[in-house]
Amino acid sequence: MECKKEKNLESCSCTYYSCSRKGVCCDCIRYHLKSRQLPGCCFSAEAESTYDRSFEHFARLVGEGKI
């Protein structure tokens, strides 16, 4: 399968600009899941900027109706 990194970068909301996985979604998801996290693109800009990408933070935001 061909990676669409350039296309992915157009909508990547990750604010960690030096990340080597930026735009390579399959690598990003794999990396975060190993740490019980979700990638930044699963969060609002405000929530993503906290760098708390844990499942628990995501669930809390869903419970509060913020996602």
Side-chain angles (χ1 to χ4, degrees):
M1 178 185 295
E2 177 186 347
C3 182
K4 299 177 183 177
K5 182 176 180 174
E6 296 305 314
K7 183 71 173 164
N8 294 341
L9 285 171
E10 293 174 14
S11 60
C12 183
S13 59
C14 175
T15 56
Y16 187 63
Y17 295 105
S18 62
C19 178
S20 64
R21 293 168 293 279
K22 194 163 180 67
V24 185
C25 301
C26 56
D27 288 348
C28 180
I29 291 169
R30 188 178 307 109
Y31 171 81
H32 285 287
L33 288 178
K34 284 182 182 179
S35 300
R36 293 186 37 82
Q37 299 175 341
L38 294 170
C41 59
C42 294
F43 296 89
S44 66
E46 180 182 346
E48 195 278 333
S49 67
T50 68
Y51 294 109
D52 182 354
R53 298 178 179 166
S54 67
F55 292 161
E56 294 79 12
H57 184 220
F58 183 80
R60 189 171 44 254
L61 292 171
V62 169
E64 294 171 358
K66 295 182 178 178
I67 291 183

